[in-house]
Amino acid sequence: MRSTITRTLALVLFALPALAGPSLTLYTTDLGLVKESRRVTWQGGRDTLRLEGVSTRLDATSLRLVPDAGRLARLAYRWDVASGDGLLERAIGQRVRLVSRQDRVTEGALLSADGAWLVVRTDDGALVTLARDAMQEVRLARPESGLSLRPAIEAVVRDTRAGAGEVQLQYLTGGLSWSAEHTLVRTGETTATWAAVVQVQNTTGRSYTDARVKLLAGDVSRVPTNEMMPKAAMMRVSAMADAAGEAPAEQSFADYHLYTLPGTVTLRDRESQTLVLLEPRAITVTPRYVYRAGEGGVRSKLEFVNSAKLGTGAPLPAGRVRCYAPDADQDLQLTGETNVGHTAVDEKVTLELGTAFDLAAERKTIRDQRVSDREREFSVEIRLRNRKTVAATIVVEEPTPGDVEVLKSTHPAQRDEANLLRFTVAVPAGQEVVVGYTARQRW
């Protein structure tokens, strides 16, 4: 057995640096697709490659390696010391020295190890069961010489010819993600600018130098990982291979949108970077004010159509939106913060900004009469006050469950959806407008 291992290790080839920077596709759900090329030197016949410098959160089931010569016979992901559990599992059958918290020493061959217990056969042949949480130190007397101290990919390639070569490597990994941060700046009552940046995070345990980066916007479905698979790939996984400054460019891709960052980017491990997604673009906004019965205050909203003429003209990825407006000194102040979902071109965007300070509403029921066991007639009065220096249009929403008939009203009633009445009311600056209606409800 040892001679076989020695012959195998003698054929191990350490990959040279990548031919070019890797290609990365980042998703918004802690997922990345990595593609890269590695230089190798073929010995000829049967070669075993060892490729280090890969992610510590690599999904071993997604591994794919394509050599430029020969046939891929075996592919494995190894990281023997990713955790203490993984190291102990590989040490079964070897001699160990265990020291408890009370400094009691036990030596012998490790027979089994799980999350709670260690089983050791001592030199006199006795079996000893030791609680894991009672151990202070576990020492391996003769650890395996071929332990993988760093995450690495091992591949066996057959029928190669001696000389320089290249392999294409591809895998999915956790630890790569991006999120959009949008900024809206009011420049007038109905005008604003919209800009967007992306926050890119790398927690894969490795850096990606001069990478070509694409960002995929959309919710990608994934099958839950089998819990029996190693976390952070702490043990080897094998699979048989088939024997055969400028704004990013944006394009539709399947049911998603793909943004390609210009040039190359270096993503260092444990680092978050901010990259420009959309330069500021002028948009046309419509202020909306909504008062809903049962809710306090008048809610402030901004709406715009994301078209080439009125909006950004580009698909907007989901993310946080911060809204700013200039004060009397023309200093920008935060006026609200909300979220926007994935928004295609020509779709309407509605931003919830909070409660309007200069608009007020008071509602009261002035009459409520029971007509029969299944019918009532009621009258409502809503006073709307505008303390702004400009006129405001307030939409009054009245939830009305059941069969409701409006008998009379001061303003036209709209029923765009079931169980909801809407009144659109123009309130001049500095004035008060009273909205009243009488309705009959049946159930």
Side-chain angles (χ1 to χ4, degrees), residues 178 215-218 250-253 255-259 315 343-345:
W178 71 281
L215 310 173
L216 190 138
E250 180 275 331
Q251 62 177 330
S252 295
F253 171 71
D255 290 325
Y256 313 102
H257 280 275
L258 198 64
Y259 297 87
T343 306
V345 174

Side-chain angles (χ1 to χ4, degrees), residues 166-184:
E166 178 184 339
V167 295
Q168 302 293 327
L169 180 64
Q170 175 180 306
Y171 58 84
L172 293 170
T173 178
L176 288 173
S177 61
W178 71 281
S179 61
E181 296 283 345
H182 304 275
T183 301
L184 182 146

Side-chain angles (χ1 to χ4, degrees), residues 27-180:
Y27 300 78
T28 58
T29 52
D30 189 35
L31 177 67
L33 175 63
V34 180
K35 302 176 185 178
E36 56 185 323
S37 301
R38 301 285 185 100
R39 289 192 182 96
V40 297
T41 302
W42 303 118
Q43 298 295 326
R46 176 187 172 94
D47 290 312
T48 299
L49 298 176
R50 181 178 176 85
L51 309 177
E52 292 189 346
V54 296
S55 169
T56 60
R57 297 185 57 191
L58 183 150
D59 181 349
T61 63
S62 69
L63 265 177
R64 185 167 179 263
L65 186 142
V66 180
D68 66 348
R71 297 185 302 113
L72 180 63
R74 179 177 177 274
L75 191 59
Y77 178 50
R78 292 190 57 181
W79 190 15
D80 301 326
V81 296
S83 69
D85 289 337
L87 185 60
L88 284 178
E89 288 173 6
R90 293 190 58 82
I92 292 176
Q94 299 182 24
R95 187 171 181 81
V96 295
R97 182 176 186 272
L98 308 174
V99 181
S100 70
R101 299 186 188 280
Q102 291 76 33
D103 293 329
R104 179 180 175 181
V105 177
T106 303
E107 294 190 67
L110 181 65
L111 299 185
S112 70
D114 58 28
W117 300 95
L118 300 173
V119 180
V120 176
R121 184 187 296 278
T122 59
D123 294 338
D124 60 3
L127 295 180
V128 179
T129 302
L130 304 169
R132 284 281 297 270
D133 58 6
M135 295 296 102
Q136 177 175 297
E137 177 185 330
V138 179
R139 183 173 184 270
L140 303 184
R142 291 181 293 275
E144 181 183 336
S145 59
L147 280 178
S148 181
L149 303 181
R150 296 180 178 179
I153 294 170
E154 291 186 358
V156 175
V157 183
R158 296 174 178 171
D159 302 331
T160 61
R161 294 183 179 181
E166 178 184 339
V167 295
Q168 302 293 327
L169 180 64
Q170 175 180 306
Y171 58 84
L172 293 170
T173 178
L176 288 173
S177 61
W178 71 281
S179 61

